[in-house]
Amino acid sequence: MKQLSMGDRLFTFFAYTFLVLFTALILLPLLYIIITSFAPAKDYLTRGFFLIPSHWTLDAYQYLLHNPGFVQSFKNSIFITVIGTFINITVTSMMAYGLSESWIKGRSAVNFMILFTMLFSGGLVPTYLVVDSLHLIDTFWALWLPAAVAPFNVIVMRSFFASLPYELKESSRIDGCGEWRMFAKIILPLAKPAIATFTLFYMVGNWNTYFSAVIYLNDDSKWPLQVFLRQMLVINDERVGLLNEALYTYTPSARMAAILVSALPLLVIYPFLQKHFNKGMLVGSVKG
């Protein structure tokens, strides 16, 4: 084994020290949120900053579970994320596969329109007027349809589909396999890494829906979790606890618990997609 020089040892020591300190700076706020959520409310008010509560309690989580506004917004976020992600992946994969086939007429024009939307958007006011004219205000469709396709994801997935061997598709057609069946039985199974990657991207986007919900949803019973959290953490609007005419006062422990619960679903789902996600990060990187 090669003996390290003094300079290499010093570099290794400072590199590891820096990484440990940097990791601690990142983990400390998260650790503080977790600990505060299990601490009594009086600890936050009387002790200031602490890493060990006077005693551990689940009062904050029980408090949230009995809050009809929080429970309803959590259900709304799950519904928005599941249906929205399904729409996103379905439309993105179908559009990308169609655009990857050179024999499709008008493919260049559609590719140009997709690229154009990456550089220029319609703007907030025109988009709102379109959504309003379609009578989608105060419906979840106002969140799903305008964001049904991410142009960049379509372009990357199109490159992946275009990189598949032409002989594979041709042999399937010769054997009598139609386009829909080939897409469902052959193409999609080969695209599992890409689908898993973009599913995760779309899930994060749908779960963190905030601005669109503020713009299009006036009915607070349809608010997703992120809008509820904003009212709870920043404005502390009493309406968030008045959906069933019950007043809720949000203690620091309850706020920290709400933050932790809002991040939990994505932390639980990510490990199941990780093995495909690592492969999918290279999708479309070879052939553009």
Side-chain angles (χ1 to χ4, degrees):
M1 184 176 179
K2 183 179 179 180
Q3 187 71 23
L4 295 177
S5 64
M6 181 60 68
D8 291 336
R9 292 179 181 177
L10 288 175
F11 175 80
T12 302
F13 172 77
F14 285 112
Y16 278 105
T17 302
F18 173 77
L19 290 176
V20 170
L21 293 176
F22 187 73
T23 303
L25 289 175
I26 295 175
L27 293 179
L28 185 60
L30 178 61
L31 180 63
Y32 182 66
I33 290 174
I34 296 174
I35 292 175
T36 305
S37 69
F38 289 101
K42 64 180 181 179
D43 281 7
Y44 185 90
L45 300 175
T46 60
R47 300 177 58 190
F49 181 82
F50 60 90
L51 290 179
I52 300 179
S54 59
H55 66 274
W56 300 87
T57 177
L58 295 175
D59 290 345
Y61 295 93
Q62 294 175 353
Y63 187 75
L64 289 178
L65 292 178
H66 288 85
N67 183 338
F70 180 84
V71 174
Q72 183 61 44
S73 64
F74 193 86
K75 292 179 180 179
N76 291 341
S77 284
I78 293 177
F79 182 70
I80 291 171
T81 301
V82 171
I83 303 301
T85 303
F86 176 78
I87 294 174
N88 293 144
I89 288 298
T90 301
V91 177
T92 298
S93 58
M94 292 175 63
M95 179 178 288
Y97 176 67
L99 294 175
S100 68
E101 296 294 328
S102 58
W103 54 270
I104 297 292
K105 294 182 179 180
R107 185 171 70 106
S108 299
V110 177
N111 281 326
F112 173 78
M113 288 188 287
I114 292 175
L115 181 62
F116 186 85
T117 58
M118 290 182 60
L119 305 176
F120 306 97
S121 64
L124 177 60
V125 174
T127 302
Y128 182 88
L129 292 177
V130 171
V131 172
D132 184 47
S133 65
L134 295 175
H135 305 289
L136 300 179
I137 299 297
D138 256 348
T139 68
F140 291 136
W141 289 105
L143 308 180
W144 295 329
L145 292 184
V149 176
F152 177 79
N153 294 348
V154 173
I155 293 174
V156 175
M157 190 172 285
R158 181 200 64 189
S159 300
F160 172 78
F161 287 142
S163 67
L164 295 178
Y166 176 77
E167 292 77 12
L168 177 65
K169 304 175 186 177
E170 191 63 23
S171 62
S172 300
R173 295 187 180 102
I174 293 175
D175 291 339
C177 185
E179 294 295 332
W180 284 104
R181 185 179 179 185
M182 180 171 62
F183 177 70
K185 300 293 185 180
I186 299 176
I187 302 301
L188 288 184
L190 293 175
K192 282 184 179 179
I195 293 175
T197 300
F198 293 122
T199 295
L200 185 60
F201 288 164
Y202 281 127
M203 283 181 60
V204 172
N206 285 305
W207 182 260
N208 291 329
T209 296
Y210 169 74
F211 186 74
S212 298
V214 171
I215 297 297
Y216 301 124
L217 298 181
N218 300 319
D219 185 358
D220 53 10
S221 65
K222 296 181 179 179
W223 280 351
L225 186 58
Q226 307 306 325
V227 178
F228 182 91
L229 287 178
R230 194 252 181 179
Q231 301 296 103
M232 178 179 176
L233 299 174
V234 180
I235 299 179
N236 199 21
D237 191 345
E238 292 181 353
R239 285 189 307 161
V240 298
L242 290 173
L243 294 181
N244 285 343
E245 302 299 329
L247 178 63
Y248 288 84
T249 302
Y250 298 102
T251 63
S253 298
R255 296 182 183 184
M256 298 301 182
I259 293 173
L260 191 61
V261 171
S262 67
L264 190 61
L266 295 181
L267 295 178
V268 172
I269 292 174
Y270 177 76
F272 297 98
L273 299 177
Q274 184 178 8
K275 65 177 182 178
H276 297 298
F277 179 79
N278 294 333
K279 298 178 182 178
M281 288 299 293
L282 298 177
V283 166
S285 61
V286 177
K287 182 176 180 180

